[in-house]
Amino acid sequence: MNEKKLRDFIADHYKEGSHGLSHWQAVENYGRLIAQSRTEVDEDVVRWFAYLHDVQRLSDFDDIDHGQRAAQYIDVLRSSYLSDLSDSQIQLLKKACALHTITHSTTDITINCCFDADRLDLMRFGIVTEKSKMADPYNLQVAAGFFQMSKEERLLFDNELFWLQHKHNHMLYSASLGVLRRNLNNTNRIVLQSCIDAYAKSLKKIYQDNDAIKNKCFELLSLDQNNKAEIAFSAINKLHKDKWEFFMEICQHFTIPGKKLAWILRDIWIHVAIPENCHKFAQKLFNQIRQEDIMTDVEYRFLKQLPQMVTLYRGCSDDEPDHNGNFYHPSWSLNYQVACSYAFLLGDKYYDKERRCIVKAIVPREQIMCIFNNGSEEVVVFGVKRSDAEIIKTYSSFSDG
C-alpha cells in the first residue's frame, strides 16, 4: 500500500458531512479489522474503497448513482493515486464502488468486506447493523468481538487510536487522558501514552497545515488573475477546519466571477455545516448570484413549479433562535422525514437530546434562495423568525412513538 498516495488523495478530496472523512476513516478501520481475521481479503482494495465509495456523492441523502460515478472516477485516478494497484485490484475496486448501493452481497470475499465495513458505520446514525443486512454474516461476528473489548483494549487495537482517529475530536482526546488514570499495567500505559502523543502531534500538524494552505492560497490569488475560483476551491477543500471562515476571508479580498462563485458556494453549503458567524456572509452571496447558476436545471425548474406558499420543516433544537438573533438556521427541507432524521437520528452531536424538535414554517416561494437535490432534502431560506414557525414534534413525542 502506497501510504503517501492515500494521504495525498485524502488531502485533495477531503469532505465533511455524514458521508465525509470521518465516515471514510471508520469504513477503513472496520475493513482493516475484518481483513486482519480473513487473510483472503485484499486489504489494499478495502482501504481504497473506504475513501472512494462516497467521494462522488452529491448529497448526504438520495443519490443512488454515486457508486457508479465513483467507479467511473477510478479510471480518472488510475494513472495517479491508484497507479500502484494491479489491473485485477482496480476491477475489484470499481465493482465494489459501483455495487455498494444496489447489491446486498457478491461471491467475492473482498467486495463483501467492503460492503460490510460501510454498513457497520451505520451506527453513526444510531442504526445497529443486523446480521441479515451483512454481505457476509461472519464479518459481523468479527466486529462484535471488537465492540466487546474494553475501552482500553479498543484504544490499543493495532496500536492505533481507533476511536480518536474516527472523529479527530478534542473531547475524545481528553477522554483518553482519563483512561490513563485507570489501573492499566505499565506496558499498556506506555503504549497508550505513545498513541495519545502521536494523536496530539497529528492534531498540531492539521492546524499547521491549515495555516500553510491558507498562506499559499493568498499568495497564488495575488499572482493569478484568471484562475481565482479554481485556486480558492482547491484550497478550501484541502482545509481540515474553518472552511466557511476562510471562504469569507477570500471573498473580502478577491473578486470571483459570478458563476464560479456560485459553484463554490454550492459545494461548501452542501458539504460543510455553516457556522452562525457566517450566516450574513452566506445570505449576501446568495443575493448576489443568480438562482440558475447555483442550481441544476432540474432543481431550478422544481423551485419554479412550487406553490406561492411553501411548507418547510427543520430538525433542530427548540432554543435555536435564541442563539441566532431570533432567526432559525437557513437550512430547511420540504420533506418531514428528512427533518426527523436530522433532529432525532443525526442530531446527537448538535443538540441536547431533550431539546430536539421538528419545526414547521410556511414561507413565500420568493423567500427561498435555492433548493438542492430536487427539493427532497435541502431548501435555503434566510430570515425565518420564531414567530413565523411552530414546533410540531418534540423529542419526548418522538420517543413515545
Side-chain angles (χ1 to χ4, degrees):
M1 184 72 172
N2 190 319
E3 299 291 343
K4 182 180 185 305
K5 288 187 176 180
L6 180 61
R7 289 196 302 271
D8 288 345
F9 175 85
I10 295 169
D12 292 339
H13 294 80
Y14 172 86
K15 289 183 180 181
E16 294 188 3
S18 59
H19 293 90
L21 180 60
S22 61
H23 169 58
W24 303 348
Q25 290 173 322
V27 174
E28 180 190 19
N29 281 316
Y30 285 126
R32 294 181 71 184
L33 180 69
I34 295 169
Q36 285 186 5
S37 68
R38 312 197 75 170
T39 56
E40 315 97 305
V41 171
D42 189 322
E43 187 172 332
D44 288 356
V45 170
V46 174
R47 293 182 67 192
W48 272 111
F49 169 85
Y51 292 95
L52 281 165
H53 73 289
D54 281 341
V55 76
Q56 289 293 303
R57 264 190 173 273
L58 301 179
S59 106
D60 274 333
F61 287 88
D62 298 330
D63 186 5
I64 194 67
D65 296 325
H66 74 272
Q68 293 284 350
R69 291 195 299 273
Q72 294 168 1
Y73 191 49
I74 288 170
D75 290 330
V76 177
L77 305 175
R78 180 70 177 96
S79 61
S80 54
Y81 301 104
L82 303 176
S83 60
D84 292 314
L85 296 186
S86 68
D87 290 342
S88 60
Q89 287 178 309
I90 289 292
Q91 291 307 310
L92 273 179
L93 184 57
K94 290 177 67 174
K95 188 174 181 180
C97 288
L99 297 181
H100 84 277
T101 59
I102 58 176
T103 302
H104 177 262
S105 65
T106 71
T107 58
D108 188 275
I109 190 171
T110 295
I111 294 177
N112 286 345
C113 177
C114 293
F115 290 176
D116 288 343
D118 186 24
R119 292 165 190 171
L120 284 167
D121 198 40
L122 287 172
M123 288 185 66
R124 71 195 190 280
F125 298 130
I127 301 171
V128 178
T129 307
E130 299 176 359
K131 188 175 181 180
S132 62
K133 301 297 184 183
M134 300 290 283
D136 185 338
Y138 175 78
N139 293 337
L140 186 59
Q141 295 179 30
V142 175
F146 174 77
F147 290 120
Q148 289 167 5
M149 292 180 185
S150 67
K151 178 181 277 189
E152 291 86 353
E153 289 173 321
R154 290 179 191 173
L155 289 171
L156 293 166
F157 167 66
D158 198 25
N159 286 346
E160 295 179 13
L161 289 183
F162 181 93
W163 291 127
L164 299 186
Q165 290 180 342
H166 185 64
K167 291 290 185 183
H168 286 298
N169 190 307
H170 282 296
M171 290 175 63
L172 290 173
Y173 173 55
S174 299
S176 68
L177 292 177
V179 172
L180 281 176
R181 302 189 187 100
R182 301 181 184 178
N183 294 323
L184 297 176
N185 64 48
N186 288 336
T187 301
N188 284 359
R189 186 183 298 276
I190 292 170
V191 174
L192 182 56
Q193 182 64 64
S194 67
C195 289
I196 292 173
D197 290 344
Y199 175 68
K201 185 177 180 180
S202 71
L203 278 181
K204 183 177 181 181
K205 186 175 187 303
I206 284 174
Y207 300 135
Q208 290 173 340
D209 287 349
N210 263 20
D211 290 339
I213 291 167
K214 290 178 182 180
N215 292 337
K216 186 64 175 178
C217 176
F218 272 98
E219 177 186 337
L220 293 174
L221 287 172
S222 300
L223 297 173
D224 195 308
Q225 299 302 313
N226 300 316
N227 300 296
K228 284 185 166 37
E230 290 78 4
I231 294 169
F233 183 72
S234 175
I236 290 169
N237 274 294
K238 288 179 180 178
L239 289 181
H240 295 277
K241 61 190 287 287
D242 301 335
K243 291 173 182 278
W244 272 101
E245 289 85 352
F246 185 50
F247 183 31
M248 182 164 61
E249 192 175 353
I250 289 173
C251 291
Q252 289 171 347
H253 292 87
F254 302 96
T255 300
I256 298 176
K259 283 189 176 182
K260 292 184 176 181
L261 180 66
W263 59 254
I264 295 177
L265 177 58
R266 177 189 176 95
D267 185 83
I268 193 172
W269 184 276
I270 290 174
H271 293 116
V272 185
I274 181 171
E276 291 177 10
N277 64 323
C278 293
H279 282 189
K280 290 184 179 179
F281 161 69
Q283 185 174 8
K284 181 180 178 181
L285 289 189
F286 275 109
N287 284 324
Q288 286 179 4
I289 62 177
R290 301 190 312 161
Q291 287 181 321
E292 52 265 47
D293 288 340
I294 195 169
M295 289 184 282
T296 66
D297 291 342
V298 173
E299 291 165 345
Y300 183 70
R301 290 196 300 270
F302 185 91
L303 172 59
K304 295 305 177 184
Q305 292 170 4
L306 290 177
Q308 289 300 315
M309 299 301 293
V310 182
T311 300
L312 302 176
Y313 303 94
R314 173 164 173 75
C316 61
S317 173
D318 62 12
D319 62 344
E320 183 175 84
D322 298 334
H323 306 292
N324 195 30
N326 203 37
F327 293 102
Y328 282 100
H329 189 286
S331 179
W332 293 73
S333 178
L334 295 168
N335 189 316
Y336 171 76
Q337 294 301 327
V338 170
C340 281
S341 71
Y342 273 115
F344 304 128
L345 297 180
L346 305 178
D348 285 346
K349 63 180 180 179
Y350 301 117
Y351 314 121
D352 291 339
K353 179 187 294 187
E354 302 299 330
R355 307 209 71 153
R356 286 183 258 176
C357 65
I358 304 297
V359 176
K360 173 183 173 182
I362 301 175
V363 304
R365 186 180 65 194
E366 290 72 23
Q367 192 174 341
I368 296 176
M369 295 290 188
C370 67
I371 291 178
F372 294 131
N373 303 309
N374 203 23
S376 63
E377 287 122 42
E378 187 154 20
V379 182
V380 181
V381 182
F382 289 90
V384 178
K385 297 180 180 179
R386 184 194 295 275
S387 57
D388 299 330
E390 61 172 323
I391 295 175
I392 60 172
K393 198 172 191 68
T394 63
Y395 179 79
S396 58
S397 62
F398 173 79
S399 300
D400 293 339

